[in-house]
Amino acid sequence: MGSSSTYSATDIGAARQAIGAEAGKFGSVGDGVPQNVDAGMFGTLGNSGAVASAVSDLCTTLRTEYAKAETLVGAIERALDANLTNNAATETNAKLSFQNQQA
């Protein structure tokens, strides 16, 4: 069975803008994660330093993962933009080709 698809530059453009607006949010969340956690946060327990070290490692992982998410979402936005640009160029070339054939 055959299928048909429709292409909406307006919808793709809206999706690109929405996705582009979200990319920076991931970076902002990652930027808000502390670099290091002070052992004093956990009181004077003998293991406070170990807990702080583990939490600092977790924070490092969170910042890294949020940065990756920002990069990936940005790549999606750029791919949609490239799609719009390429399709617009293809449509323009097809129109010019048709006009040249009619002349």
Side-chain angles (χ1 to χ4, degrees), residues 1 4-5 18-19 44 55 73 76 81 95 100:
M1 178 183 271
S4 65
S5 63
I19 289 169
T44 58
V55 172
V73 173
I76 293 168
D81 186 53
K95 287 177 187 176
N100 288 337

Side-chain angles (χ1 to χ4, degrees), residues 56-100:
S56 292
D57 290 345
L58 174 63
C59 289
T60 297
T61 300
L62 286 172
R63 283 191 313 278
T64 300
E65 292 302 314
Y66 276 112
K68 286 179 187 176
E70 180 180 27
T71 299
L72 290 172
V73 173
I76 293 168
E77 188 269 336
R78 288 186 299 279
L80 289 173
D81 186 53
N83 176 275
L84 288 172
T85 300
N86 291 338
N87 284 329
T90 299
E91 288 177 6
T92 299
N93 289 337
K95 287 177 187 176
L96 291 173
S97 176
F98 180 75
Q99 289 171 352
N100 288 337

Side-chain angles (χ1 to χ4, degrees), residues 4-80:
S4 65
S5 63
T6 58
Y7 172 83
S8 172
T10 303
D11 290 344
I12 293 172
R16 183 196 64 77
Q17 287 182 335
I19 289 169
E22 296 301 313
K25 291 179 183 178
F26 288 100
S28 294
V29 170
D31 291 344
V33 176
Q35 294 285 334
N36 294 302
V37 176
D38 184 73
M41 287 180 67
F42 303 102
T44 58
L45 300 174
N47 289 333
S48 294
V51 172
S53 178
V55 172
S56 292
D57 290 345
L58 174 63
C59 289
T60 297
T61 300
L62 286 172
R63 283 191 313 278
T64 300
E65 292 302 314
Y66 276 112
K68 286 179 187 176
E70 180 180 27
T71 299
L72 290 172
V73 173
I76 293 168
E77 188 269 336
R78 288 186 299 279
L80 289 173

